[in-house]
Amino acid sequence: MIRSVYVKYIVTFMLIIIISMTLLAAIIGTIVSNYSEQTKYDTVESEAKATAENLRNKLSRTDFSDLNKFGEEYGDDIKSLFQLIGSTSLNKVTLLLADTNGEIILSYVDGEVDLSPTAQIPKTIMDEVNNGVELSRRDTLEGIFETPHLIYASPVFLRDNYVCGTVFACSSSATMDSFIEVLIKTITISSLWVMLAALIAIYFVSERIISPLKEMSRAAKSFAKGEFDVRVPVIGKDEVAELAQAFNNMAQSLEVLDEMRNNFMSSVSHDMRTPMTTISGFIDCILSGAIPPEKHDYYLHVIKDEVQRLSRLVSTLLDISRIQAGDRKFVMAPFDVCEMARQVLISFEQKIDKKHLDVDFDADADNMHVIGDHDAIYQILYNIIDNAVKFSREGGILRLSVKQLEKKVRVSVYNEGDGIPYEDQPYIFERFYKTDKSRGKDKTGVGLGMFIAKTIIQAHNEEISLNSEPGKYCEFVFTLPGAGAEKSRSGL
């Protein structure tokens, strides 16, 4: 595939260059040919007219009406005239003087004047010029010239517009054709050099573009094998570099997600195996009589707690499965979020007292109503406060704030403690992610609480965010629509 892309680049650019150069050669060749031909026509026309006019002036001062007899008497004068006209021409022009019968009585070729040429102008041409018509054409004059010439014929008039002969000015078109041939060769050679330069440039440009794609292809194959630590070199600041950077970001996300998934599987395995082992061990001991009857109630309560722990874990897993599948529906109705916050704080009274936390409940009013799913918001608030209590430092501040913001209500939970490391903060709302990977403080969480919270808040068309400074504090903030806000909740 990579080679085909390179070949496509080469073929496309070569075709563009070839077509462009061909069109350029055709256009330039046409323009030069037309200009050169027109210039030669103008030259032979002017020289034919000048020669005919000079002859007319000389004839008008004599009594000759026969051009042959005039040539016999004034041959040297005509020769000098032809040499003068021919020498002033910048182009190689052949001058011919013919009588009315078409017999050439004098010619000027390459600076030499011949007073006794043996050639005959075609009768068809003489019939036209004997009628006093000037003509121009490309012709060989039936054997006089071996190649086509540009010819201009100008009649020589006597008194009363009597035609006594014709001056023919002729210029070979072979030089023009050879010039065009040289021009085409020059353009062709230039095109070949341009194509070579373009080929080299395309090679390096294509290599620069395709090389990161090759790296991405190799990295994608590594991803397929489960190796997410592969990265693509980012070179430059162009679109390819942006693509490579985006690819690396994706790779990093996949690596983090894979790590979170592995941690999740490890946590779930641990959290399910531990209570099941405890339950199985205590039941075996009760059945075997290793535990005396008076201790049964105590261990049965332990078994009950472990069963409830398993139930919460399974419920969380089912909950996340329903959310991802879109099966969980939210019932939107007004409720008092301040009252809910107070109830959640009361449920953590023992844990708060155990850590000697300084609780600060800050609300703009005793009762503040919002629109949302009561159970879902309760679940969010419970999980956030549970984490806040769990990760607060001994004797630290736990602050729950409820503030009115125009048509919304802002709820925040702040605690003093270790906070969340900066490198973990971008992933805190991802599923399976846990900051306490050692399970030193959080022995029961599986890394789904914040993901569920974010999913529920987004289903309410609101936002949840994190503010934390490692070693000092942590604060989770989310908003809810006020009870007076008119929002469409159809389908939720």
Side-chain angles (χ1 to χ4, degrees):
M1 177 181 176
I2 300 301
R3 290 182 180 176
S4 64
V5 171
Y6 177 73
V7 170
K8 287 178 182 178
Y9 268 107
I10 295 294
V11 172
T12 301
F13 276 94
M14 291 302 102
L15 286 176
I16 291 174
I17 292 172
I18 291 172
I19 293 173
S20 300
M21 290 300 178
T22 302
L23 290 175
L24 181 63
I27 293 172
I28 293 177
T30 301
I31 293 174
V32 171
S33 175
N34 292 337
Y35 176 78
S36 178
E37 186 170 348
Q38 185 60 45
T39 301
K40 286 198 172 187
Y41 269 124
D42 293 341
T43 300
V44 296
E45 178 184 359
S46 63
E47 294 187 3
K49 287 183 176 180
T51 305
E53 180 65 21
N54 278 279
L55 282 174
R56 188 188 68 81
N57 292 334
K58 286 183 177 295
L59 287 170
S60 66
R61 294 192 294 268
T62 67
D63 294 331
F64 290 97
S65 59
D66 188 341
L67 201 58
N68 287 295
K69 293 180 179 180
F70 179 81
E72 293 174 359
E73 181 71 24
Y74 292 96
D76 292 338
D77 291 342
I78 297 176
K79 181 178 180 180
S80 299
L81 172 64
F82 272 53
Q83 286 177 332
L84 176 63
I85 297 294
S87 63
T88 58
S89 176
L90 297 177
N91 300 281
K92 291 184 178 181
V93 177
T94 297
L95 296 175
L96 304 175
L97 178 60
D99 61 14
T100 55
N101 295 321
E103 293 184 6
I104 299 177
I105 60 177
L106 184 146
S107 66
Y108 172 86
V109 181
D110 295 333
E112 296 295 332
V113 176
D114 187 0
L115 294 174
S116 58
T118 57
Q120 182 78 29
I121 301 295
K123 185 176 182 304
T124 53
I125 296 177
M126 294 309 302
D127 289 342
E128 293 186 50
V129 295
N130 286 339
N131 292 326
V133 178
E134 295 181 344
L135 60 86
S136 61
R137 64 178 61 184
R138 184 191 294 265
D139 205 331
T140 61
L141 296 180
E142 294 187 4
I144 296 178
F145 301 113
E146 294 181 358
T147 60
H149 278 54
L150 300 178
I151 299 168
Y152 192 90
S154 180
V156 180
F157 295 94
L158 290 179
R159 292 177 295 275
D160 301 327
N161 290 328
Y162 168 72
V163 177
C164 66
T166 305
V167 175
F168 291 88
C170 312
S171 178
S172 175
S173 60
T175 55
M176 179 176 64
D177 295 336
S178 62
F179 173 75
I180 293 175
E181 184 179 347
V182 171
L183 177 64
I184 292 175
K185 287 182 179 179
T186 302
I187 294 177
T188 302
I189 294 173
S190 300
S191 301
L192 292 175
W193 281 108
V194 171
M195 289 173 64
L196 179 62
L199 188 64
I200 297 173
I202 292 170
Y203 173 78
F204 287 105
V205 172
S206 300
E207 184 66 22
R208 179 181 176 83
I209 295 174
I210 293 173
S211 180
L213 298 181
K214 291 180 180 178
E215 294 294 333
M216 292 179 197
S217 177
R218 284 194 286 267
K221 292 177 182 178
S222 299
F223 294 166
K225 298 177 183 177
E227 301 172 2
F228 298 105
D229 58 340
V230 180
R231 295 294 182 270
V232 177
V234 180
I235 302 174
K237 296 182 180 180
D238 53 12
E239 291 82 354
V240 177
E242 291 180 0
L243 178 61
Q245 185 61 53
F247 192 89
N248 287 340
N249 293 338
M250 179 192 69
Q252 184 177 0
S253 299
L254 288 174
E255 184 178 12
V256 171
L257 183 61
D258 185 63
E259 182 181 357
M260 290 189 296
R261 181 179 61 82
N262 292 334
N263 292 336
F264 169 75
M265 295 300 296
S266 176
S267 297
V268 169
S269 299
H270 179 273
D271 289 341
M272 294 187 73
R273 184 173 59 251
T274 301
M276 289 176 67
T277 302
T278 302
I279 292 170
S280 177
F282 287 157
I283 290 177
D284 287 342
C285 291
I286 291 175
L287 292 176
S288 64
I291 297 177
E294 61 272 15
K295 295 286 187 177
H296 285 185
D297 286 345
Y298 172 78
Y299 287 104
L300 285 175
H301 278 90
V302 173
I303 292 172
K304 177 185 176 183
D305 291 340
E306 294 299 325
V307 169
Q308 289 177 345
R309 179 180 170 185
L310 274 176
S311 177
R312 286 193 299 269
L313 177 60
V314 173
S315 177
T316 300
L317 294 176
L318 290 175
D319 201 23
I320 194 66
S321 177
R322 288 170 56 203
I323 289 175
Q324 289 182 323
D327 293 335
R328 179 169 179 176
K329 305 299 179 182
F330 299 99
V331 179
M332 299 299 172
F335 66 89
D336 187 354
V337 69
C338 290
E339 181 61 27
M340 176 186 288
R342 285 190 286 266
Q343 291 175 0
V344 174
L345 281 175
I346 291 172
S347 67
F348 284 96
E349 183 176 358
Q350 292 183 353
K351 293 182 179 180
I352 291 173
D353 290 341
K354 185 178 180 180
K355 298 192 74 170
H356 308 289
L357 299 180
D358 184 6
V359 178
D360 180 14
F361 183 75
D362 181 16
D364 287 345
D366 291 339
N367 303 99
M368 298 175 66
H369 290 80
V370 296
I371 296 177
D373 186 295
H374 182 278
D375 293 340
I377 302 303
Y378 187 94
Q379 179 184 1
I380 293 174
L381 201 56
Y382 186 93
N383 287 339
I384 294 177
I385 294 178
D386 183 30
N387 286 334
V389 173
K390 189 184 303 180
F391 294 104
S392 291
R393 64 176 176 82
E394 189 79 16
I397 296 176
L398 173 64
R399 181 183 304 115
L400 198 156
S401 174
V402 183
K403 297 293 182 179
Q404 185 71 45
L405 301 175
E406 295 183 357
K407 296 182 180 181
K408 296 183 179 183
V409 173
R410 177 180 180 272
V411 180
S412 68
V413 178
Y414 171 95
N415 73 284
E416 292 181 341
D418 294 336
I420 297 176
Y422 290 121
E423 62 271 17
D424 291 331
Q425 291 182 17
Y427 311 106
I428 198 66
F429 292 105
E430 300 291 335
R431 61 182 183 273
F432 314 142
Y433 195 80
K434 292 185 63 176
T435 57
D436 184 24
K437 299 178 180 61
S438 64
R439 303 178 65 85
K441 295 182 179 180
D442 186 8
K443 297 181 174 60
T444 60
V446 292
L448 291 174
M450 289 299 101
F451 174 73
I452 293 175
K454 178 183 178 181
T455 305
I456 292 174
I457 291 298
Q458 287 180 341
H460 286 69
N461 293 328
E462 297 297 336
E463 296 180 352
I464 184 170
S465 60
L466 164 70
N467 299 315
S468 178
E469 186 175 346
K472 292 186 177 181
Y473 72 90
C474 178
E475 181 183 26
F476 284 93
V477 180
F478 64 90
T479 58
L480 292 170
E486 297 181 359
K487 291 180 177 273
S488 175
R489 301 293 175 183
S490 59
L492 291 176

